[in-house]
Amino acid sequence: MKVLTVVGARPQFVKAAVVSRELRKERNDHEEVLVHTGQHYDEELSEVFFEELSIPRPDYNLGVGSKSHGEQTAEMLAGLEARIEDENPDAVLVYGDTNSTLAAAIAASKMEPLLAHVEAGMRSGSDIPEETNRVLTDHGGDLLLAPSPDALDNLEREGITEGVHFTGDVGYDALLWARERADESILSDFRIAEEEFVLATVHRDTNTDDPERLETILSALADDPRRVVLPAHPRTVGRLEEFGLYEQAERELTLTDPVGYRQFVALLDSAAVVATDSGGVQKEAFFLDTPCVTFREETEWVETVESGWNTLVGADGEAIRRAMRDATKPDEKPAPYGDGSAAERIVEVLTNATGI
Ligand code: UD1
Ligand code: UDP
């Protein structure tokens, strides 16, 4: 079987790493063509993951870079259509909900190969670009690879019943791999001790592009008596500078460049609380038994909230302060995201569907 995998953004490198490893196992005898759209291009958002996770070099890098949603998606779409035409794979494999996902989905859904979507069926019910990307990708997909029972229900509710498979979450597979290889040197680099600090990330446009929301989040984080380590996405750094908030953030928080995945997992595992607006980070905190506070009004990872491990606080300063102060570990934790063998299941579904 020949699979053309499309990645472009940080969380996709992490997830594709585990499936790629499975696809390329000798016994499987499959061929993978890896296409990087170039949506993320800074070393700390891209190259570092290829190195750390031993992801094979991309066969193609479309070098699309940062643009408006329309321009970026259109340029990727044209580039991906040409690659699919040339390579003629049996399946096109896409991940998650970024513009790279959508561009690949539009291209592949009108062409011969099967379109397979990893993280199918995730819905937050909100009007954000990622939700548009998820819904359109699922409706164009042939193989819908769902990470949780809730995702299966969401697909059924939208009338998508064919080609749907429960695989569990590849993010869990990736986390299990990284937990064994977590790079704890970062704790001594930052002179922080286990359970004595807060790990924060912010990168959603709804939070970064609105100066009031960004300032509220920053101030609430700064009021926490513990050290707050914030590896900042370049989008966030750009906005902090634009709104004149960078110096305040640098003074009040431990602001750093984004860190590699194995270092980030060490931070996630040791933090007293995680405060984030990231999809992947909410879930990783849950896997590692670290309570999470989420700067969003809703989430697609509903089980983390329903089980009491994650608290949605939006950009409400008081709610953020309270949730960070009161965060505790519930006695129990459900296991809705599979058993860590999602990559194997995905390859199995692809093999059965293509018959190769
Ligand atoms: C994208 C995804 C988002 C995902 C996130 C993961 C979409 C619509 N959004 O958001 O779902 O959670 O990736 O991190 O696909 N930039 C750089 N260097 C880079 C990449 C980006 O400086 O290597 C800056 C640019 O100023 C750019 C901004 O970040 O305009 C936003 O980048 P973009 O890829 O458009 O969206 P993300 O916010 O990264
Ligand atoms: N991550 C990382 N270093 C960082 C911040 C995040 O390795 O400094 C990893 C994190 O562990 C997760 C992924 O990047 O696997 C999440 O990416 P992001 O928050 O950008 O995207 P989202 O999951 O919200 O789409």
Side-chain angles (χ1 to χ4, degrees), residues 2-13:
K2 181 171 178 179
V3 176
L4 186 143
T5 298
V6 179
V7 291
R10 168 164 75 182
Q12 295 169 328
F13 308 138

Side-chain angles (χ1 to χ4, degrees), residues 9-11 39-42 45 66-67 69 72 97-100 129-130 133 203-205 233-235:
R10 168 164 75 182
Q39 178 171 351
H40 283 178
Y41 44 86
D42 280 351
L45 287 194
S66 303
K67 309 226 153 61
H69 284 278
Q72 189 182 54
D97 54 18
T98 71
N99 288 346
S100 299
E130 288 79 4
N133 294 345
H203 77 278
R204 296 272 151 198
D205 58 354
H233 188 292
R235 166 180 216 123

Side-chain angles (χ1 to χ4, degrees), residues 74-95:
E75 216 173 288
M76 291 175 188
L77 173 53
L80 288 165
E81 185 180 61
R83 297 287 86 77
I84 297 169
E85 181 80 43
D86 291 349
E87 292 287 345
N88 192 25
D90 302 298
V92 173
L93 188 58
V94 302
Y95 291 85

